[in-house]
């Protein structure tokens, strides 16, 4: 009797599937001025490839005292596959990147390392490509050309 119960329980446990599947996490574009998310978008392999380029081209720690600007945008991009980054500033798997686009300044990255420390990093890369993939143009109050889209 116990053997039958264990077999039935095993069949039930191993044959059950998750009806809901994985939770979908989208890319979010946050307007710092409005203090809310202004756009959500699906990720794609092209977007993740751009993020990987940015992470591979980190050039240092962002050194301003207050790294969150008063004006601009933040783009939160969760990664389907974490990316291992090893350089003199970070040695960690990264599974989410926030790109900060301060008004009239060069964009930079915000990441959490394996120890949940927040790091702000400068990088070399053309963020104009990412914005095109996201089909995002800031409102007229913050002109796209006010951003230095090519980080140097």
């Amino acid at each position: 009797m116990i053997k039958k119960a264990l077999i039935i329980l095993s069949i039930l446990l191993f044959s059950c599937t998750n009806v809901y599947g994985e939770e979908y996490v989208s890319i979010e574009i946050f307007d710092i001025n409005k203090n809310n998310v202004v756009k959500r978008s699906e990720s794609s392999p092209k977007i993740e490839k751009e993020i990987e380029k940015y992470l591979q081209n980190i050039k240092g720690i962002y050194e301003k005292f207050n790294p969150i600007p008063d004006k601009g945008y933040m783009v939160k991009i969760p990664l389907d596959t974490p990316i291992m980054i090893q350089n003199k500033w970070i040695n960690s798997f990264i599974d989410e990147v926030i790109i900060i686009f301060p008004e009239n300044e060069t964009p930079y990255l915000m990441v959490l390392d394996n120890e949940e420390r927040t790091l702000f990093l400068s990088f070399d890369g053309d963020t104009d490509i990412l914005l095109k993939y996201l089909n995002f143009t800031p409102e007229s109050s913050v002109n796209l050309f006010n951003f230095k889209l090519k980080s140097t």
Side-chain angles (χ1 to χ4, degrees):
M1 184 68 172
I2 293 176
K3 190 175 181 180
K4 274 187 174 178
L6 287 175
I7 291 172
I8 292 171
L9 183 60
S10 297
I11 291 171
L12 288 174
L13 287 175
F14 292 111
S15 66
C16 293
T17 58
N18 186 351
V19 174
Y20 300 104
E22 287 187 33
E23 182 179 330
Y24 173 72
V25 181
S26 64
I27 294 172
E28 295 180 338
I29 300 174
F30 182 82
D31 184 330
I32 298 168
N33 305 336
K34 294 180 180 178
N35 199 29
N36 69 347
V37 174
V38 293
K39 182 171 183 171
R40 285 185 172 80
S41 181
E42 288 186 39
S43 191
S44 71
K46 290 192 288 187
I47 290 171
E48 293 210 12
K49 191 72 174 166
E50 281 302 307
I51 299 305
E52 187 174 351
K53 287 181 201 175
Y54 302 159
L55 290 169
Q56 290 172 348
N57 289 299
I58 291 171
K59 65 179 189 175
I61 299 290
Y62 183 77
E63 296 178 352
K64 284 200 173 180
F65 180 70
N66 183 8
I68 305 298
D70 293 329
K71 294 181 180 180
Y73 293 88
M74 298 170 72
V75 180
K76 182 177 87 171
I77 304 172
L79 301 170
D80 286 336
T81 305
I83 299 170
M84 180 63 188
I85 300 300
Q86 291 179 312
N87 58 39
K88 64 182 178 181
W89 302 284
I90 186 170
N91 184 12
S92 182
F93 280 99
I94 305 298
D95 62 359
E96 182 176 87
V97 174
I98 297 174
I99 303 173
I100 301 173
F101 292 88
E103 189 174 55
N104 298 317
E105 292 183 39
T106 303
Y108 51 93
L109 306 174
M110 181 174 93
V111 298
L112 291 175
D113 68 6
N114 291 345
E115 297 170 9
E116 298 297 317
R117 293 179 299 173
T118 303
L119 299 168
F120 295 90
L121 304 160
S122 58
F123 67 98
D124 285 326
D126 186 354
T127 54
D128 190 31
I129 296 168
L130 176 67
L131 294 175
K132 286 179 185 175
Y133 289 157
L134 293 172
N135 194 26
F136 178 69
T137 304
E139 290 183 2
S140 59
S141 63
V142 180
N143 188 325
L144 181 63
F145 298 108
N146 286 344
F147 292 117
K148 293 179 183 174
L149 296 176
K150 196 161 195 171
S151 179
T152 54

